[in-house]
Amino acid sequence: MATRSEAGDVHELSAPRGWVQRHRPLLDAAGIAAVSVVAAAAGLGEIWDVLSMLPEPVSPWWGVVIAVPGIVCVALKRRYPRTGLAIVTVLSVIALFTVGGLGTLVAFLDLLWTVTFRATPAGRRRILAACIAGTAAITSLSLVLTGDVRIAVLIGLQLGALLGTDYWWATAVAQANELAELHRREAREVVRLAERDRDAALQRERDGMARELHDLVAGHVSAMAIRAEAALSSGRDAAADGAALRAVRDSSLEAHHALRSMITVLRAGGGELVVPPRLDRVPGYVDEARRAGLAVRFDGPPQAAVPAAVEQLAARVVQESLANCVRHAAGGQVAIEIEVDARALVVRVDSRDGRPLDRPSLPGNGSGLAMLGERVRALGGRFDAGPAGTGWSVQASLPVGA
């Protein structure tokens, strides 16, 4: 962690840099003005004096005079870069064939760099073509004015080197900034996708916990509430009350054991929350439903081998259907059919002649059937649940190749 003195040092270092960035055009203009004055004082007037069209040499201070508009354009380059470049280009051509002057050339290169840096890739290609055309034109005029091929070629090479270096530098910096921005966008996209995947994983985990809680606890709690409700609704009978209390005790112990196992897995991480049921557990579900007052007809599970996922889901369908029958159709008749062939395992649970409790203690919200439908469709099967005559029917068709 940075100390207060270290933070102050960083602020002291960054403050001058920020000031320079804010006033960069003015500083550049002042630098070019200083270069022009120093060059004039040193007698460096014309850059390529052989191109001068004046009859006699003139004072190098005329180069400072003609550079003044270019210096103003540099000071305003952030607001009017292209206009400034057009003006300085004209001034540079005039100075090249008259009084010369180093300041005008430097101002031209500075504005060329700025415009190239801000241009689009297509704009940079146009600027490169203009630089090539300008170099060729100056070289041709040099040949016409001097009549010496060697001088014209030398001037063309020098001018091409100046323009080419300036153009390459601006393009390299612009592409580096574009690449950095691309990496920043990709990083933001990666963060966004990571957050979306995290949210999706969290939602899947929550859905899994909801299914496990429903499978572990809902049936037992419903059985406890219904058996207690039945005992309270009937007359006092010691044998019936004792049976109801034993059923409530058994269901509460099973629910407590299931909750402890789930809490252990959640605290430790990994592992299965519960041992997935198989079809051999269906007779136990049938016995519990019969103890709750349902008349259940079941001929036993099929002996054919089916995939574990299909077998587990079929057992869940029977478990949830019987729990709903106990909750909503007390004392009714239930028929369970489980058939398997070469293509699918079909589970059908039909109930009829049931009656709702006088005081329902634990009404359902349909989430159990909804989750069953999601599971069946996830395996590529078909799930239907709804009223059938005076009762209710649940049917699931599970492909044995799932």
Side-chain angles (χ1 to χ4, degrees), residues 6-196:
E6 292 173 346
D9 294 340
V10 172
H11 178 72
E12 291 176 0
L13 291 175
S14 59
R17 183 180 302 173
W19 184 88
V20 169
Q21 291 296 328
R22 290 193 300 272
H23 300 85
R24 184 64 181 268
L26 294 176
L27 294 176
D28 290 343
I32 294 173
V35 169
S36 299
V37 172
V38 171
L44 300 176
E46 298 179 355
I47 302 174
W48 294 297
D49 54 355
V50 295
L51 299 180
S52 178
M53 300 177 64
L54 298 176
E56 295 180 0
V58 295
S59 171
W61 292 101
W62 283 105
V64 178
V65 174
I66 202 171
V68 169
I71 294 172
V72 173
C73 291
V74 170
L76 300 175
K77 64 181 179 179
R78 281 186 177 171
R79 302 180 68 177
Y80 311 106
R82 295 182 179 179
T83 303
L85 178 61
I87 295 173
V88 174
T89 300
V90 175
L91 293 174
S92 299
V93 173
I94 295 173
L96 181 64
F97 294 102
T98 55
V99 299
L102 189 60
T104 307
L105 177 62
V106 176
F108 170 75
L109 294 176
D110 183 89
L111 285 166
L112 177 63
W113 189 97
T114 301
V115 172
T116 304
F117 174 76
R118 294 185 176 185
T120 61
R124 293 191 198 111
R125 289 192 293 268
R126 290 193 292 269
I127 292 173
L128 178 60
C131 290
I132 295 174
T135 302
I138 297 297
T139 303
S140 301
L141 288 174
S142 301
L143 180 60
V144 172
L145 293 175
T146 63
D148 191 331
V149 176
R150 294 175 299 174
I151 294 177
V153 171
L154 180 61
I155 291 175
L157 290 176
Q158 291 173 344
L159 182 61
L162 288 173
L163 298 181
T165 302
D166 196 58
Y167 173 84
W168 167 81
W169 180 23
T171 301
V173 175
Q175 290 177 346
N177 288 348
E178 291 170 358
L179 184 61
E181 179 60 25
L182 177 61
H183 287 324
R184 283 192 289 268
R185 287 199 301 266
E186 289 179 348
R188 290 193 293 267
E189 183 66 15
V190 168
V191 171
R192 188 186 67 82
L193 292 176
E195 291 177 351
R196 187 188 67 180

Side-chain angles (χ1 to χ4, degrees), residues 348-351 369 383-395:
R348 184 182 182 92
V349 181
D350 296 323
S351 63
L369 290 177
F383 181 81
D384 297 300
T390 59
W392 190 270
S393 177
V394 176
Q395 182 172 344

Side-chain angles (χ1 to χ4, degrees), residues 209-389:
M209 293 174 62
R211 287 192 296 267
E212 297 295 343
L213 277 173
H214 181 272
D215 293 341
L216 289 173
V217 180
H220 297 308
V221 174
S222 298
M224 287 188 288
I226 291 169
R227 294 305 296 271
E229 187 71 32
L232 291 173
S233 300
S234 60
R236 291 294 175 264
D237 185 343
D241 291 345
L245 289 175
R246 284 192 295 273
V248 170
R249 180 199 61 189
D250 295 340
S251 297
S252 63
L253 290 176
E254 291 181 7
H256 181 260
H257 175 72
L259 280 176
R260 287 185 58 184
S261 66
M262 185 173 186
I263 292 172
T264 301
V265 172
L266 291 177
R267 287 171 60 90
E272 292 287 343
L273 295 178
V274 293
V275 177
R278 307 296 284 266
L279 288 177
D280 55 7
R281 295 277 298 275
V282 173
Y285 300 149
V286 172
D287 292 340
E288 293 178 4
R290 287 170 177 166
R291 287 196 298 270
L294 293 176
V296 182
R297 179 175 60 82
F298 177 57
D299 297 333
Q303 301 301 318
V306 294
V310 174
E311 188 175 357
Q312 293 164 11
L313 186 51
R316 289 295 190 198
V317 171
V318 175
Q319 181 186 22
E320 178 64 20
S321 300
L322 289 176
N324 287 337
C325 291
V326 171
R327 183 185 296 115
H328 302 293
Q333 299 179 12
V334 181
I336 302 175
E337 297 179 1
I338 303 178
E339 300 176 352
V340 61
D341 56 25
R343 294 184 301 176
L345 184 148
V346 179
V347 180
R348 184 182 182 92
V349 181
D350 296 323
S351 63
R352 61 186 180 86
D353 299 334
R355 62 184 186 282
L357 295 175
D358 296 334
R359 293 181 297 162
S361 303
L362 195 63
N365 59 6
S367 61
L369 290 177
M371 286 188 290
L372 277 182
E374 292 175 0
R375 294 181 180 182
V376 172
R377 286 186 288 273
L379 287 183
R382 187 178 69 255
F383 181 81
D384 297 300

